[in-house]
């Protein structure tokens, strides 16, 4: 379990190279793979080749504008920005990381294996300590059907905390949905966050900028473009 969580945190760290969302005045937190012979098909029983990764990093998604397409650390990465605003007036940004499976990232997709306090704490480690310990933090974890027959796992976090000091008011917020899935050969990690809209002054403002339902829909819309790559 520790190895699995370490791999998940590694994926989160790589995604941090691309973007971090939220308002300007907040501190935003917004199966094992063995050695395989490379082939030209990323969805086959093989490690994706450089050509595969380049192709995967350039997949377009209807309703989103793609940018920052690149291959980093043997993984295809891309950033997608929604062409429509959320009900709260923000843009939805989605980062995607696709890589061949290895023992660190392609572990169990059974939510029961993450029920322990240590596992949950590890999943929350992408948030600031203050938000993790906040009694008002909204946290959701469990399975999600990304496409028919393809069920992965997700986390959703929404939080807001402000501290008033003599020097002024310090605000920290988080509003992000993360999902991951693999077929034993190919692994995908998707993170959704919002950018723009009015700066939140309360937790209700954070939730209004991007609801969990809006974030989950964005994940599924983006995953639909990658779904054909799995189960080949």
């Amino acid at each position: 379990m520790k190895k699995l969580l370490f791999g998940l945190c590694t994926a989160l760290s790589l995604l941090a190279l691309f973007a971090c969302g939220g308002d300007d005045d907040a501190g935003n937190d917004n199966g094992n793979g063995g050695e395989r012979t490379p082939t030209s098909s990323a969805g086959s029983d093989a490690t994706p080749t450089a050509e595969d990764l380049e192709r995967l990093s350039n997949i377009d998604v209807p309703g989103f504008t793609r940018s920052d397409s690149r291959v980093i650390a043997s993984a295809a990465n891309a950033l997608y920005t929604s062409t429509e605003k959320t009900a709260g007036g923000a843009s939805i940004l989605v980062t995607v990381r696709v890589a061949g499976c290895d023992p660190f990232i392609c572990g169990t997709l059974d939510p029961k294996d993450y029920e322990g306090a240590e596992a949950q704490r590890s999943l929350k480690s992408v948030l600031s300590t203050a938000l993790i310990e906040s009694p008002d933090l909204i946290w959701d974890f469990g399975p999600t059907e990304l496409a028919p027959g393809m069920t992965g796992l997700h986390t959703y976090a929404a939080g807001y905390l402000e501290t008033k000091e003599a020097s002024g008011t310090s605000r920290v917020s988080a509003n992000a949905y993360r999902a991951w899935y693999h077929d034993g050969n190919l692994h995908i990690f998707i993170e959704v966050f919002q950018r723009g809209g009015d700066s939140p002054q309360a937790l209700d403002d954070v939730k209004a900028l991007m609801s969990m339902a809006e974030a989950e829909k964005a994940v599924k819309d983006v995953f639909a473009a990658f779904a054909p790559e799995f189960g080949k």
Side-chain angles (χ1 to χ4, degrees):
M1 175 58 67
K2 289 184 177 179
K3 180 180 289 186
L4 169 62
L5 293 171
F6 173 79
L8 180 57
C9 290
T10 299
L12 287 167
S13 298
L14 288 169
L15 282 173
L17 292 172
F18 280 86
C20 123
D23 56 272
D24 293 335
D25 64 346
N28 299 288
D29 300 281
N30 277 318
N32 295 346
E35 183 176 353
R36 303 183 178 106
T37 304
T39 72
S40 61
S41 174
S44 66
D45 262 344
T47 299
T49 66
E51 291 77 12
D52 292 327
L53 295 174
E54 184 66 25
R55 177 179 59 80
L56 289 167
S57 69
N58 284 282
I59 288 179
D60 289 320
V61 178
F64 292 81
T65 301
R66 176 174 51 82
S67 61
D68 286 333
S69 297
R70 64 185 78 178
V71 176
I72 301 175
S74 299
N77 297 265
L79 172 66
Y80 297 91
T81 303
S82 61
T83 55
E84 295 185 0
K85 303 288 187 180
T86 66
S91 294
I92 289 182
L93 277 66
V94 183
T95 57
V96 175
R97 179 183 185 272
V98 184
C101 276
D102 65 36
F104 290 101
I105 62 174
C106 285
T108 175
L109 292 175
D110 186 344
K112 293 181 179 179
D113 293 326
Y114 298 82
E115 290 178 348
E118 181 182 357
Q120 285 294 300
R121 180 78 183 193
S122 295
L123 290 173
K124 293 177 182 178
S125 64
V126 293
L127 303 171
S128 70
T129 301
L131 282 179
I132 291 175
E133 297 176 351
S134 171
D136 295 326
L137 176 69
I138 296 173
W139 175 258
D140 188 81
F141 165 77
T144 182
E145 188 177 50
L146 298 169
M150 298 181 183
T151 299
L153 296 173
H154 80 271
T155 65
Y156 171 72
Y160 177 86
L161 197 63
E162 67 176 45
T163 304
K164 295 183 178 180
E165 302 174 344
S167 58
T169 300
S170 174
R171 298 181 176 89
V172 60
S173 65
N175 191 5
Y177 187 107
R178 299 174 175 90
W180 60 101
Y181 171 78
H182 70 83
D183 61 0
N185 176 64
L186 201 62
H187 182 277
I188 187 168
F189 190 96
I190 305 174
E191 180 175 22
V192 180
F193 55 97
Q194 58 80 24
R195 179 171 292 169
D198 295 332
S199 297
Q201 305 294 313
L203 179 57
D204 285 344
D205 296 338
V206 172
K207 293 186 295 181
L209 285 171
M210 181 184 73
S211 68
M212 179 177 170
E214 288 173 321
E216 184 176 53
K217 182 179 183 302
V219 163
K220 293 182 178 182
D221 287 346
V222 171
F223 183 81
F226 290 86
E229 303 294 333
F230 293 87
K232 289 183 178 180

